[in-house]
Amino acid sequence: MNQYLARAQQFWLARNARERTMLSACAAVITFAILYLGIWQPLVTQRAQLEKRVPQLQSQLAQMQHDLQLLKGGPTVARTDDLRQAVSSSLQQHGIKADLQALPDNKIRIDAPQAEFAQVLDLLGALPRETGAHVASFDANGAQNNGIVHFSAVVQR
């Protein structure tokens, strides 16, 4: 090893000042190019790829959390929203026109004079998932056998 260092030192000392300056500049440029191409550029490229992937992964995570809540039968919406608004939105999604009345203790009375019984059953099954509320009481009356009922229910969180 010492012989190689001695040969390098002898080579370096044999050069005049101008050649040493040029060799130093070339060595600096080559070192910079190696560091840039070998370390910096791959890191920048990897970071750009990860920045593109993060939103996709976040979307997948949100979908999996939503699917997990559906499998558990739990609510899929945040419980911080207004219960009246959530119930109203759920009624609209199921095509049921109803009057809503606020009751004490975060309860809502739903009164629908004419609704298809199948839609009512779908609504009752979906309310816990869509609003985070459960049905405290339920009543349905149908004067005719045409599938149209008058129903009222009280839901609460």
Side-chain angles (χ1 to χ4, degrees):
M1 181 76 173
N2 287 336
Q3 69 179 353
Y4 294 115
L5 287 176
R7 288 179 81 192
Q9 187 177 14
Q10 182 183 6
F11 174 80
W12 185 256
L13 293 176
R15 305 291 153 232
N16 63 33
R18 186 175 177 190
E19 287 177 335
R20 287 183 200 163
T21 303
M22 288 301 288
L23 288 173
S24 295
C26 288
V29 168
I30 289 171
T31 302
F32 176 76
I34 289 172
L35 290 175
Y36 179 78
L37 295 173
I39 296 173
W40 185 261
Q41 188 61 32
L43 289 176
V44 169
T45 303
Q46 184 67 26
R47 181 177 178 187
Q49 289 174 349
L50 290 175
E51 284 178 350
K52 288 179 184 176
R53 220 170 143 208
V54 165
Q56 294 170 346
L57 293 174
Q58 288 174 334
S59 174
Q60 288 175 353
L61 175 63
Q63 183 63 40
M64 286 191 293
Q65 288 174 336
H66 179 265
D67 292 346
L68 179 63
Q69 286 298 325
L70 287 176
L71 288 173
K72 286 182 175 180
T76 59
V77 295
R79 292 181 180 218
T80 58
D81 63 348
D82 181 35
L83 179 61
R84 182 181 181 96
Q85 182 181 6
V87 171
S88 176
S89 174
S90 187
L91 285 166
Q92 287 177 348
Q93 286 177 356
H94 293 277
I96 299 174
K97 293 182 180 168
D99 295 323
L100 298 177
Q101 178 186 5
L103 300 174
D105 299 328
N106 201 24
K107 294 180 183 178
I108 300 288
R109 178 182 309 279
I110 303 169
D111 186 38
Q114 291 185 331
E116 289 186 31
F117 190 66
Q119 289 177 323
V120 172
L121 290 179
D122 288 342
L123 172 72
L124 293 176
L127 274 175
R129 279 192 322 270
E130 295 174 356
T131 65
H134 66 276
V135 178
S137 67
F138 170 75
D139 182 44
N141 296 319
Q144 302 172 356
N145 291 331
N146 61 359
I148 304 295
V149 296
H150 174 264
F151 92 95
S152 63
V154 175
V155 295
Q156 72 179 44
R157 284 195 180 142

